[in-house]
């Protein structure tokens, strides 16, 4: 499958900050601007090392980014904090778009900052009706299944790519296809299991993974009738796989039968978003619709419909400890019933 611009970026970048600065320099940024970027990014890098013992900016998650923002309060004006946050967001957005990082941990932080910093840029505002029209324009079963899965589950692009057939519990009497769902899904029909374990370069289910899951805990996400129908359309044409792990989503182009990669998914979304006028080269988080935008869409609309931030956090994989244990225990009633009652329709 073809890849998006920048997807050939090396995966072994030793200094992501310098890599980012070099690109900004090539694009004509002044030395003064570059110095400001480097000062802020190196401060954040030092904060990660000292506060969380995280040696690589690529390993930072939302929690660490938010902690850094909080550490700035009291020492700087709100406008300065907003500027520093935008620097970090642009850094992560760029590194994600070129394929060096899996996702942008600052995306949700920027949304949450809007409550206290009015200068925070906002994302493109897309209604459910507009998103439904967007999905209706996608004809290929794989591409349609990928987009609808992201929209209906809120999972990250790497988490989608790491799904195996065993992570899906779905009755398929319409298809001549059999597989055994993983232990833990027996009593949870019509559901997807999203693990917290896969990491780039590690072996999971007998296959080395090219993407990382960043959930605090494993999550079971309900599948409604709409997502079931779209998945069945994909499974009906899903090719044989070269992997014993039996990935759920497989390439149907240049890398036929191989697990879909994050760059493949970004290419799919960018292609359709460009056709819709929702993506342009050089556009940032505020303008472009990317796979991570669907996680934002899921969070915003489901939270508004349920009025239950805890359930949305559980489904996103953002909560840990006894909180997630509570929702895991109540998955069969509170979580599933609330989800099925409130989840929006996109087809």
């Amino acid at each position: 499958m073809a890849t998006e611009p920048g997807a050939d970026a090396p995966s072994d970048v030793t200094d992501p900050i310098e890599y980012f600065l070099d690109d900004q320099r090539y694009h004509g940024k002044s030395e003064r601007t570059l110095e400001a970027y480097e000062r802020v990014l190196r401060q954040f890098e030092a904060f990660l090392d000292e506060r969380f013992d995280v040696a690589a900016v690529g390993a930072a998650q939302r929690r660490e980014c938010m902690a850094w923002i909080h550490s700035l309060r009291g020492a700087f004006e709100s406008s300065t904090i907003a500027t520093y946050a935008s620097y970090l967001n642009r850094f992560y957005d760029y590194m994600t778009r070129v394929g060096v990082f899996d996702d942008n941990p600052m995306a949700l932080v920027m949304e949450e900052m809007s409550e206290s910093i009015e200068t925070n840029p906002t994302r493109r505002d897309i209604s459910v009706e507009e998103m439904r029209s967007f999905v209706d324009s996608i004809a290929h079963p794989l591409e349609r299944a990928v987009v609808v899965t992201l929209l209906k589950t809120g999972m990250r692009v790497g988490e989608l790519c790491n799904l195996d057939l065993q992570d899906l519990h779905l009755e398929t009497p319409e298809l001549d296809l059999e597989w055994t769902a993983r232990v833990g899904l027996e009593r949870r029909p019509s559901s997807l299991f999203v693990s917290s374990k896969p990491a780039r370069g590690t072996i999971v289910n007998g296959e080395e993974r090219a993407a990382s899951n960043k959930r605090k805990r494993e999550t079971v996400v309900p599948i409604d009738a709409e997502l079931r129908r779209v998945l069945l359309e994909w499974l009906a044409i899903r090719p044989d796989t070269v992997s014993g792990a039996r990935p759920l989503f497989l390439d149907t182009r240049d890398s036929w039968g191989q697990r879909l990669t994050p760059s493949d998914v970004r290419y799919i979304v960018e292609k359709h978003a460009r056709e819709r006028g929702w993506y342009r080269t050089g556009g940032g988080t505020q303008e472009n619709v990317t796979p991570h935008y669907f996680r934002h869409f899921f969070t915003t609309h489901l939270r508004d419909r349920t009025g239950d931030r805890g359930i949305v956090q559980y489904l996103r994989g953002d909560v840990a400890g006894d909180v997630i244990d509570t929702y895991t225990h109540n998955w069969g009633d509170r979580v599933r019933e609330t989800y099925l009652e409130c989840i929006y329709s996109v087809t």
Side-chain angles (χ1 to χ4, degrees), residues 131-145 147-148 151 268-269 271-273 275 294:
M131 189 61 76
R132 188 176 297 128
S133 176
F134 172 73
V135 172
D136 286 345
S137 70
I138 303 174
H140 194 288
L142 169 62
E143 297 177 356
R144 190 177 177 86
V147 169
V148 173
L151 280 168
I268 290 171
V269 174
K271 178 181 68 173
H272 291 287
E275 293 173 353
F294 298 142

Side-chain angles (χ1 to χ4, degrees), residues 128-324:
V128 173
E129 290 72 21
E130 290 174 314
M131 189 61 76
R132 188 176 297 128
S133 176
F134 172 73
V135 172
D136 286 345
S137 70
I138 303 174
H140 194 288
L142 169 62
E143 297 177 356
R144 190 177 177 86
V146 164
V147 169
V148 173
T149 299
L150 290 171
L151 280 168
K152 304 281 281 199
T153 67
M155 68 176 65
R156 299 173 176 86
V157 61
E159 294 168 345
L160 178 135
C161 293
N162 278 324
L163 289 173
D164 295 329
L165 268 179
Q166 69 169 6
D167 299 321
L168 173 66
H169 187 181
L170 196 66
E171 298 297 328
T172 59
E174 306 92 331
L175 304 177
D176 183 20
L177 180 64
E178 294 183 358
W179 72 90
T180 302
R182 66 166 55 243
V183 175
L185 289 183
E186 305 99 326
R187 299 181 181 179
R188 296 177 177 181
S190 296
S191 59
L192 273 169
F193 178 91
V194 188
S195 176
S196 61
K197 295 181 180 178
R200 181 187 293 178
T202 61
I203 305 297
V204 179
N205 200 15
E207 181 186 345
E208 182 176 346
R209 301 305 169 105
S212 301
N213 289 12
K214 296 186 177 181
R215 299 199 163 225
K216 295 181 182 296
R217 291 281 296 277
E218 61 190 34
T219 310
V220 178
V221 183
I223 295 175
D224 69 345
E226 186 175 60
L227 180 54
R228 178 182 185 275
R229 182 174 65 253
V230 172
L231 288 174
L232 286 178
E233 292 171 354
W234 158 240
L235 291 171
I237 69 161
R238 176 179 171 274
D240 292 334
T241 176
V242 298
S243 169
R246 303 185 75 186
L248 176 57
F249 293 111
L250 303 169
D251 191 5
T252 58
R253 299 192 183 185
D254 298 341
S255 301
W256 180 271
Q258 295 183 16
R259 182 184 299 276
L260 216 59
T261 67
S263 62
D264 293 331
V265 176
R266 286 191 285 268
Y267 169 78
I268 290 171
V269 174
E270 178 186 326
K271 178 181 68 173
H272 291 287
R274 281 186 184 277
E275 293 173 353
R276 197 75 177 181
W278 291 352
Y279 192 104
R280 71 173 180 86
T281 301
T285 302
Q286 306 95 301
E287 179 180 1
N288 288 346
V289 169
T290 65
H292 195 77
Y293 179 88
F294 298 142
R295 183 167 166 86
H296 158 76
F297 186 92
F298 172 87
T299 302
T300 301
H301 288 279
L302 194 58
R303 186 173 56 202
D304 290 346
R305 287 166 175 248
T306 64
D308 190 328
R309 182 182 294 269
I311 284 182
V312 176
Q313 287 180 319
Y314 163 75
L315 292 170
R316 285 173 49 95
D318 287 343
V319 288
D322 57 352
V323 176
I324 200 170

Side-chain angles (χ1 to χ4, degrees), residues 20-30 94 281-282:
F20 168 75
L21 293 173
D22 281 343
D23 181 85
Q24 299 304 299
R25 185 174 290 107
Y26 296 149
H27 282 81
K29 295 292 185 182
S30 69
Y94 169 78
T281 301

